[in-house]
Amino acid sequence: RKEVEQDPGPFNVPEGATVAFNCTYSNSASQSFFWYRQDCRKEPKLLMSVYSSGNEDGRFTAQLNRASQYISLLIRDSKLSDSATYLCVALTGGYQKVTFGTGTKLQVIP
Amino acid sequence: SQTIHQWPATLVQPVGSPLSLECTVEGTSNPNLYWYRQAAGRGLQLLFYSVGIGQISSEVPQNLSASRPQDRQFILSSKKLLLSDSGFYLCAWMDGNTEAFFGQGTRLTVV
């Protein structure tokens, strides 16, 4: 079983729609979590951190459920520029090991 | 400010040839360093990570090795490349638990 799992998609949504991604992690010792965004043929870049209390950054909301070992990302009012692959990330081992999910591809359609 | 350099950007190598990809970090000390591979249409696979000079953790058995001869230098190597080694290789560094920063990647094609 992979340490971090995501639905690969693709998710094809119209502009203005709300879309949610989930990610599950298997290692209960994982300590911190992030969402990264990767554009085609580019390196991943940090989108936002994920906190137990949930956090929001503009149209993006991230949540962590430690009991069920999953994290989520909600994107409201989707823009064409949101089209990308979204990767969830778990840190374990005293923040030494950084494991990425396989990514979920989002395509926002005009 | 901290920067990460990775080279070369693209590489075409014949099967059986050796490989050496280099990654260096500036503006920080004692970073955690990582090598990832992303095959076409697939996610990021953690290959190696290092928490200090000479300390290498390997995540998957493979045809590759890594070394950290200096604090801010991380090298990915192979003695004999296989076709299956083709992919997008990314170096990353992390300082604490804040954020992982990536190099721009090396696109390796083994022919």
Side-chain angles (χ1 to χ4, degrees), chain A residues 55-68:
Chain A
N55 50 304
E56 188 174 310
D57 182 3
R59 299 181 292 109
F60 299 84
T61 301
Q63 298 239 319
L64 166 64
N65 185 318
R66 287 194 184 272
S68 301

Side-chain angles (χ1 to χ4, degrees), chain A residues 15-56:
Chain A
E15 270 187 290
T18 296
V19 61
F21 306 137
N22 285 330
C23 169
T24 58
Y25 61 95
S26 60
N27 190 341
S28 59
S30 296
Q31 298 139 308
S32 296
F33 305 89
F34 304 87
W35 282 102
Y36 274 70
R37 170 190 170 132
Q38 185 176 24
D39 293 298
C40 187
R41 302 177 76 84
K42 298 282 188 180
E43 74 275 20
K45 294 189 177 176
L46 180 66
L47 178 65
M48 61 196 303
S49 303
V50 187
Y51 304 123
S52 296
S53 55
N55 50 304
E56 188 174 310

Side-chain angles (χ1 to χ4, degrees), chain A residues 2-3 32 34 36 38 40-46 49 87 91 94-103, chain B residues 32 34 36 38 42-46 49 51 59 88 90 94 96-105 107:
Chain A
K2 292 180 182 175
E3 284 197 43
S32 296
F34 304 87
Y36 274 70
Q38 185 176 24
C40 187
R41 302 177 76 84
K42 298 282 188 180
E43 74 275 20
K45 294 189 177 176
L46 180 66
S49 303
L87 302 155
L91 269 63
Y95 311 113
Q96 295 174 357
K97 183 177 171 182
V98 183
T99 305
F100 283 76
T102 52
Chain B
N32 291 343
Y34 306 84
Y36 291 88
Q38 189 172 40
R42 302 184 66 180
L44 282 166
Q45 181 186 31
L46 178 62
Y49 68 97
V51 300
E59 280 300 293
F88 188 41
L90 288 154
M94 190 155 191
N97 64 328
T98 53
E99 181 178 348
F101 296 89
F102 286 86
Q104 292 190 316
R107 199 159 298 279

